[in-house]
């Protein structure tokens, strides 16, 4: 989703003061905008660098991504993986999986990223974990289901990053009763009320909530 808390000018300023993406990510972004539907789903420079920073800090051995889209976020995270680290990214759409796989294969990180096709909940069930980092960026109506599936498999110092939690500001608009908006409100409330975790909602782009186990 598009950023909602910053003006167009401020958003441009933020991106201009963020380290530019590597050439292969810039090319992927350009092709995504030119050839795929819903290019607003593209992770982009600022969020990509944030995810990379989280991986750099956490040094995860296993990263799980729910929602590959064009592969930008997986490739951004792969750049900071420690030796032996890997990413499993789950995608329902064959069109998106094919696009992402082509760019992953052409990148320096092809041996670190596995694309799993099909319903993400089935992929999560088939993985043992523990997950050191989970990035949730798939269909909104299943956010609570994804959350409940990954929390039991989260590593002791694992971290969940959930995207789009501000949903273009619609989560705070009572008059919006659409299915996706209601699903995001339900997810946000579930995380807030879950005594298993500690969470912080960040106003980065369309909202990112970081969630960890409670000590």
């Amino acid at each position: 989703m598009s950023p909602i808390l910053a003006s167009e000018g401020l958003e441009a300023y933020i991106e201009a003061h963020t380290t530019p993406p590597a050439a292969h990510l810039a090319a992927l972004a350009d092709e995504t905008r030119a050839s795929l539907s819903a290019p607003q789903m593209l992770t982009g420079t600022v969020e990509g660098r944030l995810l990379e920073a989280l991986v750099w800090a956490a040094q995860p051995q296993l990263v799980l991504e729910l929602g590959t889209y064009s592969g930008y976020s997986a490739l951004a995270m792969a750049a900071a993986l420690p030796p032996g680290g890997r990413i499993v990214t789950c995608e329902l759409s064959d069109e998106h999986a094919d696009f992402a796989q082509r760019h992953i294969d052409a990148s320096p990180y092809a041996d670190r990223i596995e694309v799993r096709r099909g319903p993400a909940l089935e992929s999560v069930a088939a993985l043992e974990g523990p997950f050191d980092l989970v990035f949730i960026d798939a269909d909104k109506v299943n956010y609570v289901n994804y959350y409940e599936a990954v929390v039991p498999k989260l590593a002791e110092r694992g971290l969940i990053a959930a995207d789009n939690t501000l949903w273009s500001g619609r989560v705070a608009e009572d008059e919006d009763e659409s299915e996706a908006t209601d699903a995001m409100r339900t997810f946000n409330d579930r995380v807030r009320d879950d005594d298993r975790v500690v969470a912080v909602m960040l106003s980065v782009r369309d909202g990112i909530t970081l969630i960890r186990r409670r000590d």
Side-chain angles (χ1 to χ4, degrees):
M1 298 294 292
S2 301
I4 56 106
L5 294 183
S7 66
E8 186 175 340
L10 181 56
E11 187 68 21
Y13 183 87
I14 292 168
E15 184 165 340
H17 289 79
T18 298
T19 302
H24 67 275
L25 282 177
L28 184 157
D30 288 342
E31 187 179 342
T32 298
R33 296 186 184 99
S35 63
L36 290 184
S37 60
Q40 71 273 13
M41 291 169 56
L42 184 69
T43 299
T45 299
V46 175
E47 190 173 0
R49 284 297 185 189
L50 174 61
L51 292 170
E52 180 191 28
L54 291 175
V55 172
W56 179 85
Q59 294 291 282
Q61 286 297 301
L62 179 57
V63 176
L64 174 66
E65 177 180 55
L66 306 181
T68 310
Y69 189 47
S70 62
Y72 190 108
S73 49
L75 284 166
M77 292 188 287
L81 282 173
R86 64 190 182 97
I87 296 171
V88 176
T89 180
C90 305
E91 178 56 52
L92 182 63
S93 163
D94 283 329
E95 178 191 10
H96 295 164
D98 289 343
F99 184 103
Q101 189 68 67
R102 177 163 52 82
H103 282 271
I104 290 167
D105 289 344
S107 78
Y109 311 113
D111 62 337
R112 300 184 178 195
I113 304 173
E114 175 191 350
V115 179
R116 293 207 175 190
R117 301 176 186 237
L121 287 172
E122 294 181 7
S123 296
V124 173
L127 292 166
E128 291 185 7
F131 307 129
D132 301 300
L133 177 64
V134 179
F135 181 44
I136 302 177
D137 189 20
D139 61 301
K140 308 313 166 192
V141 296
N142 268 311
Y143 258 44
V144 167
N145 294 329
Y146 297 142
Y147 175 74
E148 294 296 346
V150 300
V151 167
K153 296 185 177 184
L154 197 62
E156 183 178 353
R157 293 187 59 81
L159 184 69
I160 298 171
D163 200 12
N164 304 124
T165 51
L166 291 176
W167 201 233
S168 297
R170 294 195 290 272
V171 290
E173 298 171 357
D174 293 340
E175 63 273 17
D176 189 328
E177 298 179 352
S178 65
E179 183 181 27
T181 300
D182 183 63
M184 292 311 300
R185 290 193 194 105
T186 299
F187 172 78
N188 290 338
D189 291 348
R190 176 71 185 102
V191 173
R192 178 197 61 195
D193 297 336
D194 189 349
D195 60 10
R196 297 173 297 176
V197 303
V198 175
V200 56
M201 183 181 285
L202 306 176
S203 55
V204 175
R205 282 182 58 82
D206 196 35
I208 299 176
T209 299
L210 301 181
I211 307 158
R212 65 170 177 87
R213 287 187 181 276
R214 187 177 295 274
D215 295 334

